[in-house]
mmCIF file of all heavy atoms in Angstrom:
data_model
loop_
_atom_site.group_PDB
_atom_site.id
_atom_site.type_symbol
_atom_site.label_atom_id
_atom_site.label_comp_id
_atom_site.label_asym_id
_atom_site.label_seq_id
_atom_site.Cartn_x
_atom_site.Cartn_y
_atom_site.Cartn_z
ATOM 1 N N MET A 1 165.883 27.384 38.149
ATOM 2 C CA MET A 1 166.154 27.262 39.549
ATOM 3 C C MET A 1 167.520 27.899 39.872
ATOM 4 O O MET A 1 168.444 27.800 39.091
ATOM 5 C CB MET A 1 166.155 25.820 40.012
ATOM 6 C CG MET A 1 164.849 25.098 39.678
ATOM 7 S SD MET A 1 163.460 25.642 40.691
ATOM 8 C CE MET A 1 163.896 24.913 42.252
ATOM 9 N N ASN A 2 167.675 28.517 40.970
ATOM 10 C CA ASN A 2 168.912 29.103 41.396
ATOM 11 C C ASN A 2 169.783 28.060 42.008
ATOM 12 O O ASN A 2 169.398 26.903 42.252
ATOM 13 C CB ASN A 2 168.696 30.335 42.281
ATOM 14 C CG ASN A 2 167.908 30.006 43.542
ATOM 15 O OD1 ASN A 2 167.637 28.850 43.792
ATOM 16 N ND2 ASN A 2 167.578 30.997 44.193
ATOM 17 N N GLY A 5 168.309 26.128 45.275
ATOM 18 C CA GLY A 5 167.089 25.278 45.160
ATOM 19 C C GLY A 5 165.844 26.122 45.080
ATOM 20 O O GLY A 5 164.727 25.535 44.882
ATOM 21 N N GLY A 6 165.791 27.377 45.247
ATOM 22 C CA GLY A 6 164.619 28.213 45.214
ATOM 23 C C GLY A 6 164.492 28.884 43.875
ATOM 24 O O GLY A 6 165.371 28.865 43.018
ATOM 25 N N PRO A 7 163.413 29.460 43.522
ATOM 26 C CA PRO A 7 163.166 30.103 42.295
ATOM 27 C C PRO A 7 164.001 31.425 42.124
ATOM 28 O O PRO A 7 164.257 32.099 43.119
ATOM 29 C CB PRO A 7 161.695 30.497 42.264
ATOM 30 C CG PRO A 7 161.348 30.523 43.744
ATOM 31 C CD PRO A 7 162.204 29.566 44.421
ATOM 32 N N SER A 8 164.544 31.640 40.972
ATOM 33 C CA SER A 8 165.383 32.834 40.738
ATOM 34 C C SER A 8 164.426 34.040 40.694
ATOM 35 O O SER A 8 163.179 33.885 40.527
ATOM 36 C CB SER A 8 166.068 32.690 39.374
ATOM 37 O OG SER A 8 165.161 32.544 38.289
ATOM 38 N N PRO A 9 164.960 35.292 40.810
ATOM 39 C CA PRO A 9 164.152 36.419 40.753
ATOM 40 C C PRO A 9 163.354 36.565 39.428
ATOM 41 O O PRO A 9 162.167 36.985 39.457
ATOM 42 C CB PRO A 9 165.174 37.587 40.923
ATOM 43 C CG PRO A 9 166.279 36.955 41.658
ATOM 44 C CD PRO A 9 166.361 35.553 41.179
ATOM 45 N N LEU A 10 163.903 36.090 38.317
ATOM 46 C CA LEU A 10 163.186 36.141 37.012
ATOM 47 C C LEU A 10 162.005 35.186 37.098
ATOM 48 O O LEU A 10 160.962 35.531 36.672
ATOM 49 C CB LEU A 10 164.142 35.771 35.928
ATOM 50 C CG LEU A 10 163.488 35.720 34.536
ATOM 51 C CD1 LEU A 10 162.873 37.135 34.226
ATOM 52 C CD2 LEU A 10 164.556 35.342 33.445
ATOM 53 N N ASP A 11 162.255 33.957 37.594
ATOM 54 C CA ASP A 11 161.093 32.971 37.706
ATOM 55 C C ASP A 11 160.032 33.565 38.647
ATOM 56 O O ASP A 11 158.851 33.322 38.395
ATOM 57 C CB ASP A 11 161.652 31.645 38.216
ATOM 58 C CG ASP A 11 162.674 31.084 37.259
ATOM 59 O OD1 ASP A 11 162.584 31.395 36.081
ATOM 60 O OD2 ASP A 11 163.525 30.254 37.746
ATOM 61 N N LEU A 12 160.401 34.203 39.757
ATOM 62 C CA LEU A 12 159.478 34.717 40.716
ATOM 63 C C LEU A 12 158.647 35.854 40.035
ATOM 64 O O LEU A 12 157.362 35.884 40.218
ATOM 65 C CB LEU A 12 160.137 35.326 41.947
ATOM 66 C CG LEU A 12 159.235 35.721 43.062
ATOM 67 C CD1 LEU A 12 158.316 34.626 43.539
ATOM 68 C CD2 LEU A 12 160.090 36.266 44.244
ATOM 69 N N ARG A 13 159.187 36.669 39.196
ATOM 70 C CA ARG A 13 158.449 37.720 38.530
ATOM 71 C C ARG A 13 157.469 37.051 37.492
ATOM 72 O O ARG A 13 156.288 37.494 37.328
ATOM 73 C CB ARG A 13 159.364 38.657 37.794
ATOM 74 C CG ARG A 13 160.269 39.448 38.777
ATOM 75 C CD ARG A 13 160.984 40.568 37.999
ATOM 76 N NE ARG A 13 162.081 41.036 38.838
ATOM 77 C CZ ARG A 13 163.369 40.655 38.847
ATOM 78 N NH1 ARG A 13 163.722 39.680 38.012
ATOM 79 N NH2 ARG A 13 164.272 41.144 39.643
ATOM 80 N N GLN A 14 157.927 36.019 36.811
ATOM 81 C CA GLN A 14 157.038 35.324 35.877
ATOM 82 C C GLN A 14 155.891 34.707 36.583
ATOM 83 O O GLN A 14 154.794 34.728 36.081
ATOM 84 C CB GLN A 14 157.867 34.287 35.110
ATOM 85 C CG GLN A 14 158.786 34.922 34.006
ATOM 86 C CD GLN A 14 157.962 35.566 32.896
ATOM 87 O OE1 GLN A 14 157.841 36.771 32.875
ATOM 88 N NE2 GLN A 14 157.368 34.808 32.071
ATOM 89 N N ARG A 15 156.104 34.073 37.782
ATOM 90 C CA ARG A 15 155.069 33.478 38.506
ATOM 91 C C ARG A 15 154.092 34.572 38.958
ATOM 92 O O ARG A 15 152.801 34.334 38.925
ATOM 93 C CB ARG A 15 155.605 32.706 39.703
ATOM 94 C CG ARG A 15 156.461 31.518 39.436
ATOM 95 C CD ARG A 15 157.068 30.891 40.642
ATOM 96 N NE ARG A 15 156.087 30.441 41.534
ATOM 97 C CZ ARG A 15 156.371 29.917 42.736
ATOM 98 N NH1 ARG A 15 157.615 29.810 43.116
ATOM 99 N NH2 ARG A 15 155.435 29.439 43.571
ATOM 100 N N LEU A 16 154.605 35.718 39.428
ATOM 101 C CA LEU A 16 153.745 36.767 39.884
ATOM 102 C C LEU A 16 152.856 37.362 38.693
ATOM 103 O O LEU A 16 151.641 37.561 38.874
ATOM 104 C CB LEU A 16 154.567 37.851 40.525
ATOM 105 C CG LEU A 16 153.775 39.089 41.009
ATOM 106 C CD1 LEU A 16 152.669 38.656 42.038
ATOM 107 C CD2 LEU A 16 154.740 40.100 41.642
ATOM 108 N N LEU A 17 153.441 37.489 37.578
ATOM 109 C CA LEU A 17 152.720 38.014 36.410
ATOM 110 C C LEU A 17 151.615 36.942 36.041
ATOM 111 O O LEU A 17 150.517 37.326 35.706
ATOM 112 C CB LEU A 17 153.659 38.264 35.252
ATOM 113 C CG LEU A 17 154.610 39.476 35.404
ATOM 114 C CD1 LEU A 17 155.451 39.594 34.146
ATOM 115 C CD2 LEU A 17 153.845 40.721 35.651
ATOM 116 N N GLN A 18 151.991 35.700 36.076
ATOM 117 C CA GLN A 18 150.960 34.689 35.719
ATOM 118 C C GLN A 18 149.844 34.605 36.744
ATOM 119 O O GLN A 18 148.674 34.445 36.397
ATOM 120 C CB GLN A 18 151.672 33.335 35.591
ATOM 121 C CG GLN A 18 150.798 32.223 35.048
ATOM 122 C CD GLN A 18 151.514 30.970 34.703
ATOM 123 O OE1 GLN A 18 152.795 30.871 34.981
ATOM 124 N NE2 GLN A 18 150.862 29.973 34.216
ATOM 125 N N LEU A 174 150.623 33.578 47.076
ATOM 126 C CA LEU A 174 151.958 33.428 46.518
ATOM 127 C C LEU A 174 152.893 34.110 47.417
ATOM 128 O O LEU A 174 152.722 35.178 47.916
ATOM 129 C CB LEU A 174 152.012 34.029 45.144
ATOM 130 C CG LEU A 174 153.396 33.862 44.405
ATOM 131 C CD1 LEU A 174 153.683 32.384 44.127
ATOM 132 C CD2 LEU A 174 153.424 34.650 43.099
ATOM 133 N N ASN A 175 154.035 33.391 47.698
ATOM 134 C CA ASN A 175 155.159 33.967 48.548
ATOM 135 C C ASN A 175 156.070 34.589 47.603
ATOM 136 O O ASN A 175 156.687 33.977 46.709
ATOM 137 C CB ASN A 175 155.818 32.839 49.352
ATOM 138 C CG ASN A 175 156.763 33.458 50.331
ATOM 139 O OD1 ASN A 175 157.871 33.930 49.956
ATOM 140 N ND2 ASN A 175 156.459 33.409 51.589
ATOM 141 N N VAL A 176 156.309 35.890 47.759
ATOM 142 C CA VAL A 176 157.211 36.711 46.885
ATOM 143 C C VAL A 176 158.324 37.307 47.742
ATOM 144 O O VAL A 176 158.645 38.467 47.606
ATOM 145 C CB VAL A 176 156.362 37.818 46.170
ATOM 146 C CG1 VAL A 176 155.476 37.189 45.097
ATOM 147 C CG2 VAL A 176 155.593 38.701 47.163
ATOM 148 N N LEU A 179 161.281 39.031 45.763
ATOM 149 C CA LEU A 179 161.032 40.076 44.770
ATOM 150 C C LEU A 179 161.695 41.349 45.150
ATOM 151 O O LEU A 179 161.467 41.918 46.258
ATOM 152 C CB LEU A 179 159.536 40.276 44.597
ATOM 153 C CG LEU A 179 159.093 41.135 43.432
ATOM 154 C CD1 LEU A 179 159.493 40.509 42.105
ATOM 155 C CD2 LEU A 179 157.628 41.403 43.433
ATOM 156 N N GLY A 201 166.251 41.396 31.041
ATOM 157 C CA GLY A 201 166.249 40.368 32.050
ATOM 158 C C GLY A 201 164.867 40.183 32.744
ATOM 159 O O GLY A 201 164.756 39.301 33.530
ATOM 160 N N PHE A 202 163.902 40.989 32.311
ATOM 161 C CA PHE A 202 162.592 40.832 32.928
ATOM 162 C C PHE A 202 161.572 40.219 31.851
ATOM 163 O O PHE A 202 161.675 40.530 30.690
ATOM 164 C CB PHE A 202 162.097 42.223 33.429
ATOM 165 C CG PHE A 202 162.871 42.748 34.525
ATOM 166 C CD1 PHE A 202 163.807 43.654 34.374
ATOM 167 C CD2 PHE A 202 162.665 42.232 35.814
ATOM 168 C CE1 PHE A 202 164.515 44.165 35.394
ATOM 169 C CE2 PHE A 202 163.379 42.753 36.878
ATOM 170 C CZ PHE A 202 164.295 43.733 36.715
ATOM 171 N N GLY A 203 160.663 39.462 32.403
ATOM 172 C CA GLY A 203 159.660 38.824 31.538
ATOM 173 C C GLY A 203 158.474 39.748 31.288
ATOM 174 O O GLY A 203 158.238 40.735 31.985
ATOM 175 N N LEU A 274 152.473 26.483 40.701
ATOM 176 C CA LEU A 274 152.499 27.929 40.572
ATOM 177 C C LEU A 274 152.341 28.594 41.921
ATOM 178 O O LEU A 274 153.050 29.559 42.203
ATOM 179 C CB LEU A 274 151.352 28.332 39.605
ATOM 180 C CG LEU A 274 151.105 29.858 39.391
ATOM 181 C CD1 LEU A 274 152.332 30.500 38.821
ATOM 182 C CD2 LEU A 274 149.868 30.100 38.652
ATOM 183 N N GLN A 292 162.518 20.730 33.926
ATOM 184 C CA GLN A 292 163.647 21.622 34.250
ATOM 185 C C GLN A 292 163.391 23.034 33.823
ATOM 186 O O GLN A 292 163.980 23.950 34.361
ATOM 187 C CB GLN A 292 164.938 21.103 33.662
ATOM 188 C CG GLN A 292 165.374 19.719 34.211
ATOM 189 C CD GLN A 292 165.623 19.748 35.633
ATOM 190 O OE1 GLN A 292 166.098 20.829 36.196
ATOM 191 N NE2 GLN A 292 165.377 18.665 36.336
ATOM 192 N N GLY A 293 162.501 23.164 32.820
ATOM 193 C CA GLY A 293 162.213 24.552 32.359
ATOM 194 C C GLY A 293 161.264 25.266 33.164
ATOM 195 O O GLY A 293 160.993 26.434 33.023
ATOM 196 N N SER A 294 160.536 24.535 34.114
ATOM 197 C CA SER A 294 159.562 25.142 34.907
ATOM 198 C C SER A 294 160.176 25.859 36.171
ATOM 199 O O SER A 294 161.084 25.216 36.741
ATOM 200 C CB SER A 294 158.478 24.125 35.395
ATOM 201 O OG SER A 294 157.610 24.744 36.304
ATOM 202 N N PRO A 295 159.827 27.017 36.516
ATOM 203 C CA PRO A 295 160.397 27.689 37.646
ATOM 204 C C PRO A 295 159.831 27.275 38.985
ATOM 205 O O PRO A 295 160.168 27.752 39.994
ATOM 206 C CB PRO A 295 160.085 29.216 37.421
ATOM 207 C CG PRO A 295 158.783 29.177 36.676
ATOM 208 C CD PRO A 295 158.825 27.908 35.802
ATOM 209 N N PHE A 296 158.974 26.285 38.954
ATOM 210 C CA PHE A 296 158.260 25.913 40.174
ATOM 211 C C PHE A 296 158.716 24.473 40.603
ATOM 212 O O PHE A 296 158.497 23.517 39.917
ATOM 213 C CB PHE A 296 156.735 25.861 40.012
ATOM 214 C CG PHE A 296 156.302 26.942 39.115
ATOM 215 C CD1 PHE A 296 155.473 26.690 37.978
ATOM 216 C CD2 PHE A 296 156.567 28.268 39.381
ATOM 217 C CE1 PHE A 296 155.094 27.660 37.124
ATOM 218 C CE2 PHE A 296 156.083 29.294 38.559
ATOM 219 C CZ PHE A 296 155.381 28.985 37.389
ATOM 220 N N GLY A 297 159.464 24.396 41.658
ATOM 221 C CA GLY A 297 160.032 23.167 42.147
ATOM 222 C C GLY A 297 159.231 22.612 43.260
ATOM 223 O O GLY A 297 158.445 23.298 43.972
#
Side-chain angles (χ1 to χ4, degrees):
M1 305 289 288
N2 57 8
S8 64
L10 177 58
D11 298 335
L12 185 57
R13 297 187 193 95
Q14 285 295 103
R15 292 175 64 182
L16 179 57
L17 290 178
Q18 189 171 0
L174 183 64
N175 189 288
V176 290
L179 189 64
F202 293 100
L274 172 65
Q292 298 297 329
S294 174
F296 323 123

